[in-house]
Amino acid sequence: MDTDFASDPLLPPEIERMIFEIAFDIQSPQDNWKLVSVAKRVRTWLRPLIYSTFIQFVNAKAFPNMKTYPGFIDLKEICQFALNHLVDLSNLTTHDAVSDLLEKCPNLTNLACWGHIDAHHLWPSLSKLSKLRRLSAKVEHISSTQFLSATFSSRLTHLEMLEPTNDWKFESLISLTSLTHLAIFYPSFTLDYKRLGTILQACHGIHVFVLTTQHGDLGEAGKDLYVADCRMVVLDDSLSEMKHWIYDVNGHNDSWEYAEQVVLMRRVRWIQLDILCHRNITAFQYVKTILGTPWDDYLTEEGMKWIQNSILSELGPLSD
């Protein structure tokens, strides 16, 4: 249909717009372009949604494709719409190219830099993202002083630190006053759990602390911290999974929400035995412990009744 066709809408504009926005599906680009073709007003409404998420992921089709996008598309304009950005194309792009793109995306609220993308190479651009709320990235070579000087530091709510090094001062987390969700993915050194416990006690705003490590890496001090702090969830794989990142972008339950449910069960003592590791709640069909035992072997009767209607049931059957 010609976008210049001037049809008189039968519904009030606000209702018509709501219908088209509900019909929009970020995972169905072909259908979205059909919607855009209905009329110019629909194109105006949907363009911010179409370009709200940039994906440069090694196992997914890049969007927008910076090498082949049509000349009639104003890159600077569409970058203003970008709220979410996932980049993991270390073999197909460069840090300079990513940094240049970040400069054009001042409204980003959610950024994930995975693979060999190192945040310190992007820091001059990344640190200026004043609206950023969620960050998943390697923070090595970025000092805690630099991190706290970023324009987003006082607004950051979700932080996943990928492979942090022992020169990072975790005490700086106390200054991230809006932080509610913290994850540490495979630290490259042995954590000082007593020190970490003291820091977490001072971080009153943190609701969930996820540590990705192997069972044997915790040691007695790590196990003591786990038992003492109900906010702690131990996984054997990262939250850095595209599937669940997209879930969050689409407003669905993601890995953080699942971790919140585990924290809730720990707080109300619905887990009969204090399980040390909750095996990869983001990727496995069955919600099991690291020993492969079904959850219902560990939940109280109240816990079993509750979990049947919780979002954890989305992950699959609770037992074999």
Side-chain angles (χ1 to χ4, degrees):
M1 184 180 293
D2 188 351
T3 57
D4 289 326
F5 181 74
S7 60
D8 293 327
L10 300 178
L11 297 172
E14 61 274 13
I15 295 180
E16 186 183 30
R17 178 173 183 170
M18 185 183 302
I19 292 172
F20 279 103
E21 289 180 344
I22 292 174
F24 176 86
D25 183 354
I26 192 173
Q27 299 187 70
S28 300
Q30 295 300 323
D31 292 335
N32 294 335
W33 289 119
K34 292 178 182 178
L35 294 176
V36 169
S37 300
V38 170
K40 282 186 175 180
R41 62 183 180 277
V42 179
R43 178 177 180 271
T44 300
W45 294 336
L46 295 187
R47 273 172 64 80
L49 296 179
I50 290 174
Y51 295 109
S52 65
T53 300
F54 285 11
I55 296 179
Q56 295 173 285
F57 194 71
V58 69
N59 293 321
K61 184 177 181 180
F63 182 84
N65 191 320
M66 299 304 169
K67 297 180 180 179
T68 63
Y69 68 89
F72 63 83
I73 292 181
D74 185 337
L75 182 60
K76 185 175 181 180
E77 178 198 8
I78 65 173
C79 284
Q80 300 296 312
F81 299 138
L83 302 177
N84 313 285
H85 188 192
L86 168 60
V87 56
D88 184 15
L89 280 180
S90 53
N91 58 331
L92 299 177
T93 191
T94 65
H95 284 99
D96 287 343
V98 175
S99 185
D100 182 61
L101 186 60
L102 293 181
E103 289 280 356
K104 296 181 175 68
C105 299
N107 297 313
L108 282 178
T109 61
N110 184 3
L111 176 63
C113 300
W114 298 343
H116 296 292
I117 301 294
D118 293 323
H120 78 279
H121 290 307
L122 312 175
W123 196 245
S125 301
L126 197 163
S127 62
K128 293 186 290 187
L129 297 175
S130 61
K131 298 182 180 180
L132 197 65
R133 299 294 181 272
R134 295 190 176 206
L135 176 63
S136 175
K138 291 182 179 179
V139 295
E140 60 179 346
H141 307 306
I142 299 175
S143 70
S144 53
T145 301
Q146 283 180 301
F147 197 87
L148 292 178
S149 67
T151 58
F152 60 76
S153 64
S154 63
R155 300 177 179 85
L156 200 66
T157 59
H158 293 64
L159 173 62
E160 183 180 30
M161 306 170 67
L162 307 180
E163 302 174 4
T165 55
N166 61 0
D167 59 350
W168 215 87
K169 295 182 179 179
F170 287 94
E171 284 80 2
S172 61
L173 295 172
I174 300 172
S175 299
L176 300 178
T177 54
S178 297
L179 193 66
T180 57
H181 294 68
L182 171 67
I184 298 177
F185 171 69
Y186 283 122
S188 59
F189 63 101
T190 301
L191 287 170
D192 182 341
Y193 288 104
K194 290 185 178 180
R195 172 187 168 204
L196 181 59
T198 300
I199 294 169
L200 288 174
Q201 286 181 356
C203 295
H204 304 294
I206 290 181
H207 302 156
V208 175
F209 166 51
V210 176
L211 176 63
T212 303
T213 184
Q214 293 297 329
H215 186 153
D217 292 341
L218 285 179
E220 291 304 316
K223 295 175 184 178
D224 289 343
L225 175 59
Y226 177 83
V227 172
D229 197 330
C230 290
R231 299 173 297 174
M232 186 173 176
V233 178
V234 182
L235 303 181
D236 62 359
D237 204 351
S238 173
L239 300 178
S240 302
E241 186 180 87
M242 180 180 174
K243 173 183 176 181
H244 286 276
W245 189 86
I246 292 294
Y247 281 171
D248 170 60
V249 168
N250 289 339
H252 303 311
N253 297 318
D254 66 354
S255 304
W256 288 114
E257 277 73 27
Y258 296 137
E260 288 174 359
Q261 300 297 292
V262 175
V263 171
L264 173 61
M265 287 193 294
R266 293 198 63 202
R267 286 188 182 279
V268 297
R269 300 184 183 277
W270 282 339
I271 301 178
Q272 297 186 67
L273 299 177
D274 221 358
I275 307 169
L276 184 60
C277 287
H278 309 294
R279 187 174 183 178
N280 193 1
I281 58 174
T282 67
F284 283 72
Q285 179 182 7
Y286 297 99
V287 186
K288 297 182 177 181
T289 71
I290 198 168
L291 300 176
T293 305
W295 275 62
D296 48 358
D297 286 353
Y298 288 88
L299 297 178
T300 63
E301 183 177 349
E302 294 85 354
M304 281 302 300
K305 290 179 180 178
W306 174 84
I307 202 172
Q308 298 292 344
N309 296 314
S310 80
I311 64 173
L312 288 175
S313 62
E314 299 172 1
L315 298 178
L318 297 178
S319 60
D320 293 325

